[in-house]
Amino acid sequence: MSELDAVLFDFSGTLFRLEEDEKWFEGMTLDTDESREVDGHVQAELMRRLTAPTGRSVSMTPEALQAWMHRDLAPHLHREAYLHVLRESGLARHHAEALYSKAIDPDCWTPYPDTATVLAGLRSRGVKTAVVSNIAFDLRPAFDGVGAVDEFVLSFEVGAVKPDPAIFQAALDRLGVPADRALMVGDSDEADGGARALGCAFALVDPLPTRDRKDGLVAALWAHGIRL
């Protein structure tokens, strides 16, 4: 097959990962047991709940569910939804707010080891790139010093959420590339795989910790005829 003209990337779990820093949890205890500190197991579960692309992890009132369903369309709904998740997970409100502030800080996200290599390699080959993300904050600063991307198509800016084909179409339109000449790379078959409805190719990557996934992006591109 001939090399594709564009690659669309998911952000969380694909190009970058939100990885816990033990310092974020210093002094935190669970409401259900104030003597129990937030240990490594609980930390990992809280981070999963902050970054899982689909599904629900806690019980929700109708109001909370409404915020959850629309969280990636507006910053205030995103905040409301995730503070509910963290509170229901056992964190006091001030601890929930402190942890949430890390999740929406681009400086707290870690790029995968091959992110910079892949972005530079695609640019050098003239392959266009876009980040297509269900998100309610501006992630662009995370790419400073990591690599250049042609377009950022963020759900809260375009009013569409993956797997809605509209968000992928917005990216293709901005890049000026037809769907059958583009590859979508992401960590969710349900959300990111929505690009297939338009005719895009799709590559699934595993949202492993960055230390455990050294070349997942390179391998995904290789499998679709782009050899960097």
Side-chain angles (χ1 to χ4, degrees), residues 192-212:
D192 303 310
R196 290 177 294 208
L198 295 175
C200 294
F202 175 63
L204 185 67
V205 294
D206 194 336
L208 294 168
T210 56
R211 66 178 180 275
D212 298 328

Side-chain angles (χ1 to χ4, degrees), residues 77-152:
L77 295 177
H78 191 271
R79 175 182 172 82
E80 180 182 336
Y82 281 105
L83 287 182
H84 177 82
V85 167
L86 293 173
R87 291 288 289 117
E88 286 294 309
S89 299
L91 291 184
R93 185 169 185 86
H94 65 291
H95 290 322
E97 290 177 343
L99 186 56
Y100 177 75
S101 72
K102 301 300 184 183
I104 62 171
D105 182 351
D107 290 338
C108 290
W109 289 76
T110 304
Y112 277 92
D114 56 348
T115 293
T117 298
V118 162
L119 294 179
L122 291 173
R123 180 159 291 263
S124 70
R125 299 174 80 93
V127 178
K128 297 178 180 180
T129 55
V131 173
V132 183
S133 179
N134 286 350
I135 205 160
F137 64 90
D138 186 4
L139 54 76
R140 293 173 180 85
F143 289 80
D144 292 345
V146 175
V149 175
D150 292 305
E151 295 288 344
F152 289 90

